[in-house]
Amino acid sequence: MLATVNAQQTPSNALSYTDQALLHGIAKDVSAKRIEQDIRTLVSFGTRHTLSETESETRGIGAARRWIKEEFEKISMECNGCLEVFFQSQVISGESRIPNATEIVSVIAIQKGTSDPNRYVMMSGDIDSRVSDVMDSESDSPGANDNASGVAGTLEAARVLSKHQFEGSIVYAALAGEEQGLFGGKILAEYAKANNWRLKAVLNNDMIGNIEGVNGVINNTTARIFAEGTRNTETPEEANYRRFTGGEVDSPSRNLARYIDLMADRYIENLDTMVVYRLDRFRRGGHHRPFNDLGFPGVRIMETNENYNRQHQDLRTENGIVYGDTIEGVNFEYAAKLTALNAVSLAGMANAPNPPADVNISGAVQASTTLSWKPHDDLSPTPNNPHLKGYKVYWRLTDAPQWQYSKYVGNVTTATLENVVIDNYFFGVASVSEDGFESPVVFPGAAGAFGE
Ligand SMILES: [Zn+2]
């Protein structure tokens, strides 16, 4: 199987992409009103601190997680039990922020894929909240934006997406213990690895509702996507290979970010994304990191303008400044827009075929560049791409942020771009379904691999 194509130096993303009515519908179905209701409910538990009360039905982290589980179960009832809903817990102790034995309990809901259930994409938010002292489990800690907004967005995405069926599975996760040291994410990432999940995307939503920056900027038309560069699991041998071939800006997390960026352009009105070439904010953390630690593609999606007076603060007024993460600091329409971005990205990937595996590239001292990848039938004991149509090769100038050129090459496992010199571009390949759903672009080699 070999395709030879002539290089056409025309930007072709918009030209060659199949617009998906399904994704426009999903984006429209996301409700700011329901997101507001859920944030208000989460805030009403007073505090959701990891070390807070667990017995009360009205206050503390126990009541909050039970409510989230009930909410996922309600959503599941409306789709004839399409969600598998469970608590995922582990007892943690002896940590600086969790000195005494504490049950860390996340709430997980899984919508199984129809044809490739072991392939997963995931959206997450965090249950827990905090004030100025990270060990203060008693004070009121509304955590409206950080991170009831992320949990409310995840619940809403589940509501909207559970009305449809997808080829791959979608995980909706309300993760626990974020502020105390990313524990819920660690537990779920290790679970995914132990259970051989083919986890292709983690969309960690942490603070998706603030539009008033501490620097005075007010902006509801952009969002940030944080994505790490070289992957944490890279071996010295892989790093040495990358030194001579490239891949510093093409980890699967980066190409996941580029995928989401295009989804914003295509399906979310009045929203542009800023892809940030960093794991996370400067010296700060989030729940995608434990997944990146194990080699899974993962990004952080969040507001562009943060307000530090409204994060991790005791509720108070000082020198005329109101501190605290209260409901007044959340813009529900904006949170809905970012939720819609998650939903269309999850749906797009879950309906696309498996991202190409074992992508290789060659062409040094030749006029042309050749890419190859693994035939999809070999990927698993059961055919996981029943609706695969073929593959699309992408390339871009090495300093361009987004893929610039593409060529559909058919259902082949090798493609040569005639007279496109390997030295001058970065290359990748995506899989395309019969309906035109595309996977993220996979950069060749270990640096860019999305796995099997
Ligand atoms: Zn926080």
Side-chain angles (χ1 to χ4, degrees):
M1 289 188 280
L2 181 106
T4 299
V5 295
N6 294 316
Q8 285 186 353
Q9 302 294 301
T10 43
S12 54
N13 275 323
L15 293 175
S16 59
Y17 184 77
T18 310
D19 190 60
Q20 300 292 341
L22 172 70
L23 301 187
H24 287 295
I26 285 168
K28 279 199 183 66
D29 282 350
V30 171
S31 156
K33 193 76 213 152
R34 287 191 297 256
I35 288 172
E36 174 178 354
Q37 279 166 5
D38 289 350
I39 295 175
R40 287 189 187 280
T41 302
L42 287 162
V43 165
S44 77
F45 295 112
T47 176
R48 303 186 307 281
H49 191 276
T50 297
L51 309 178
S52 66
E53 166 73 54
T54 60
E55 299 295 319
S56 163
E57 282 309 314
T58 55
R59 186 177 177 85
I61 186 97
R65 68 196 176 215
R66 287 190 291 277
W67 175 79
I68 294 167
K69 183 161 176 275
E70 281 164 21
E71 210 51 38
F72 275 129
E73 283 163 350
K74 267 190 221 164
I75 294 167
S76 186
M77 263 159 49
E78 306 240 312
C79 59
N80 299 313
C82 76
L83 300 182
E84 192 183 310
V85 183
F86 58 97
F87 282 136
Q88 179 171 68
S89 72
Q90 198 170 302
V91 176
I92 304 288
S93 64
E95 300 282 344
S96 60
R97 291 180 174 192
I98 307 182
N100 305 316
T102 304
E103 221 184 348
I104 302 298
V105 187
S106 298
V107 190
I108 314 294
I110 300 177
Q111 183 178 351
K112 281 283 182 188
T114 51
S115 67
D116 191 8
N118 195 38
R119 170 161 56 93
Y120 295 86
V121 292
M122 172 180 147
M123 175 177 182
S124 68
D126 312 301
I127 307 173
D128 57 313
S129 65
R130 63 167 286 190
V131 288
S132 302
D133 173 4
V134 72
M135 300 304 286
D136 180 350
S137 61
E138 300 285 332
S139 301
D140 275 348
S141 177
N145 192 45
D146 183 13
N147 188 10
S149 67
V151 171
T154 303
L155 283 166
E156 179 63 7
R159 268 183 212 111
V160 169
L161 295 177
S162 60
K163 307 247 183 303
H164 308 275
Q165 291 194 327
F166 300 96
E167 305 287 330
S169 295
I170 303 176
V171 182
Y172 310 96
L175 297 173
E178 196 266 347
E179 306 288 4
Q180 308 310 107
L182 309 178
F183 289 99
K186 270 180 215 165
I187 294 163
L188 181 54
E190 279 159 17
Y191 177 89
K193 186 148 192 150
N195 286 279
N196 299 312
W197 281 14
R198 290 169 30 244
L199 180 55
K200 305 298 179 183
V202 174
L203 277 51
N204 172 42
N205 287 258
D206 195 346
M207 296 190 278
I208 59 169
N210 182 72
I211 63 164
E212 298 174 15
V214 76
N215 57 356
V217 174
I218 299 182
N219 173 325
N220 66 356
T221 62
T222 67
R224 290 184 290 180
I225 310 173
F226 286 88
E228 71 174 353
T230 57
R231 55 205 306 175
N232 187 53
T233 51
E234 186 177 58
T235 65
E237 294 73 28
E238 288 165 355
N240 190 55
Y241 178 80
R242 175 176 53 74
R243 187 178 176 213
F244 295 96
T245 57
E248 294 81 4
V249 293
D250 278 276
S251 67
S253 299
R254 285 274 164 84
N255 279 313
L256 172 59
R258 291 186 181 104
Y259 186 89
I260 300 166
D261 174 62
L262 282 180
M263 285 295 187
D265 292 345
R266 288 166 178 159
Y267 298 104
I268 312 298
E269 282 168 32
N270 217 5
L271 183 72
D272 198 10
T273 73
M274 176 197 290
V275 174
V276 184
Y277 282 16
R278 276 199 163 119
L279 172 61
D280 206 321
R281 288 86 35 82
F282 189 78
R283 299 194 67 185
R284 299 176 71 200
H287 250 150
H288 53 306
R289 191 177 94 207
F291 294 90
N292 289 162
D293 285 347
L294 298 186
F296 294 120
V299 297
R300 179 190 185 119
I301 297 176
M302 75 177 302
E303 64 216 21
T304 306
N305 298 285
E306 286 179 71
N307 194 322
Y308 311 117
N309 297 340
R310 297 176 185 164
Q311 293 174 18
H312 303 182
Q313 295 282 1
D314 290 336
L315 302 178
R316 67 193 192 281
T317 301
E318 233 174 63
N319 303 323
I321 298 169
V322 180
Y323 292 90
D325 188 358
T326 58
I327 196 87
E328 290 75 28
V330 181
N331 183 296
F332 309 110
E333 293 291 339
Y334 179 72
K337 203 147 60 163
L338 270 60
T339 298
L341 175 61
N342 278 268
V344 297
S345 301
L346 294 167
M349 287 185 283
N351 259 358
N354 198 50
D358 290 356
V359 178
N360 277 297
I361 189 163
S362 62
V365 294
Q366 292 169 34
S368 304
T369 298
T370 297
L371 287 115
S372 66
W373 50 93
K374 197 168 176 172
H376 68 90
D377 289 339
D378 298 352
L379 285 172
S380 78
T382 51
N384 57 19
N385 291 316
H387 303 295
L388 178 93
K389 182 181 177 209
Y391 298 88
K392 201 189 257 189
V393 172
Y394 280 86
W395 65 107
R396 69 179 201 271
L397 290 167
T398 63
D399 62 350
Q402 186 55 278
W403 296 102
Q404 294 172 300
Y405 313 105
S406 68
K407 192 86 189 176
Y408 178 72
V409 294
N411 191 357
V412 295
T413 57
T414 304
T416 296
L417 296 168
E418 296 288 351
N419 294 319
V420 180
V421 175
I422 195 169
D423 305 329
N424 300 344
Y425 301 93
F426 287 146
F427 299 85
V429 56
S431 52
V432 185
S433 77
E434 289 156 352
D435 299 336
F437 285 96
E438 286 189 35
S439 76
V441 180
V442 182
F443 186 87
F450 275 72
E452 291 296 298

